[in-house]
Amino acid sequence: MYFTRKGKGGRGIVGFHGWSGDHTTFLPLMERLPEAVSFYSYDLPGCGRSPEPVRWEIREVARDVAKELLALGRENLTLVGSCTGGLMAVFVARELAEMGRGGVVGRLVLIDPFAECPWYFRIFLIPVLGGIMYATSFANPLGRWFTNLMLREKRTGNVNLTESFRSANHRSTLAYLRMLVAGGVPEQFRELKVPAVIVCGERTFGAVRQGVERWRRVWPEASVQVLPGVGHLPIDEGTEMVERILFAGA
């Protein structure tokens, strides 16, 4: 798997991007890195410069990612996932725990996470019609422009919610949707004993707000931080607020 690293500090943070993203998702935070931190930002399998997995199955992909983290040779990492990358972070943490390497993960930070694949993503998986709808919404410049315009209430300023689809591997984005649909419900992670912080934008999607409440029921001890005035992309829209949460104490 491809990743970029910035910093040489003893506190390790690993970033997993969301749907259609890549390692550049975390650049706004990496540019503000404290000296005490090393930040590793990955292209998940099939995204960016990373090859596709042998099999598109969520636990197998998570296990492959977990092995990549073991190769870093570090303990007490913070796994931070943006959007659907939050689900990947949780799956990876569980795989490491089941490998007997739970000490590799010291904290989870889920940024505007879904609890499971929302219905308006699932429609893109409908045979034939879903592919046409996906192509219309994300696989061409005019469709991306119109979709971003329609989502203006879920973003702030000039943030573009569909820009990442311009260079995305569309086969992979649809494969990730299928994996997430088949991945199961968040209640399966009740026994995962890792401190968690959940961050969401005040203006984000209703499905994310519902997901945050669901994660809160799964992990009652989790800290939930709602960022005022921020939409679905807190890393871009509320960089300083996310920075204070993620790098606290560094």
Side-chain angles (χ1 to χ4, degrees):
M1 283 173 55
Y2 177 83
F3 69 89
T4 58
R5 174 184 178 177
K6 186 169 183 179
K8 298 181 179 180
R11 180 173 169 183
I13 297 178
V14 174
F16 298 137
H17 61 79
W19 192 46
S20 82
D22 60 21
H23 68 278
T24 62
T25 292
F26 296 95
L27 286 179
L29 294 171
M30 295 173 77
E31 291 170 354
R32 310 167 77 95
L33 206 64
E35 289 186 7
V37 173
S38 296
F39 200 118
Y40 304 83
S41 184
Y42 279 83
D43 284 343
L44 290 173
C47 303
R49 302 182 191 181
S50 291
E52 293 186 5
V54 174
R55 183 166 174 251
W56 287 104
E57 195 280 322
I58 186 65
R59 294 209 62 170
E60 288 193 22
V61 172
R63 194 172 301 118
D64 289 342
V65 176
K67 291 175 181 177
E68 293 283 337
L69 298 192
L70 290 176
L72 296 178
R74 304 190 69 138
E75 296 285 313
N76 202 35
L77 292 168
T78 292
L79 304 190
V80 52
S82 174
C83 185
T84 57
L87 279 170
M88 179 59 70
V90 177
F91 270 99
V92 170
R94 184 173 68 180
E95 290 301 318
L96 286 165
E98 293 185 357
M99 291 177 185
R101 298 299 304 274
V104 171
V105 181
R107 181 175 65 145
L108 292 169
V109 179
L110 312 184
I111 300 179
D112 229 61
F114 293 97
E116 56 185 328
C117 189
W119 67 267
Y120 45 79
F121 286 170
R122 293 174 188 245
I123 62 174
F124 298 128
L125 302 179
I126 298 172
V128 183
L129 178 61
I132 294 172
M133 295 176 68
Y134 176 89
T136 301
S137 301
F138 298 114
N140 70 86
L142 181 59
R144 289 192 295 272
W145 175 85
F146 183 73
T147 300
N148 187 60
L149 178 65
M150 294 300 293
L151 296 175
R152 59 187 177 275
E153 297 300 322
K154 307 303 179 184
R155 58 186 173 85
T156 58
N158 295 320
V159 169
N160 190 326
L161 289 173
T162 61
E163 175 63 21
S164 59
F165 288 90
R166 183 171 60 85
S167 56
N169 179 331
H170 297 300
R171 167 186 157 87
S172 291
T173 57
L174 290 171
Y176 268 94
L177 288 190
R178 295 186 189 96
M179 282 201 308
L180 294 175
V181 169
V185 297
E187 286 73 19
Q188 66 185 294
F189 299 106
R190 288 189 189 277
E191 301 306 314
L192 183 62
K193 303 302 182 184
V194 179
V197 179
I198 303 172
V199 180
C200 70
E202 180 184 38
R203 296 174 54 183
T204 192
F205 298 105
V208 171
R209 290 194 293 271
Q210 294 167 11
V212 168
E213 290 306 312
R214 199 163 174 183
W215 283 119
R216 195 200 298 262
R217 291 193 295 272
V218 171
W219 299 321
E221 309 86 2
S223 169
V224 176
Q225 306 285 332
V226 179
L227 307 186
V230 171
H232 180 55
L233 297 180
I235 293 173
D236 296 297
E237 301 174 54
T239 309
E240 292 185 6
M241 288 182 279
V242 175
E243 173 194 6
R244 287 195 293 271
I245 295 167
L246 185 59
F247 301 145

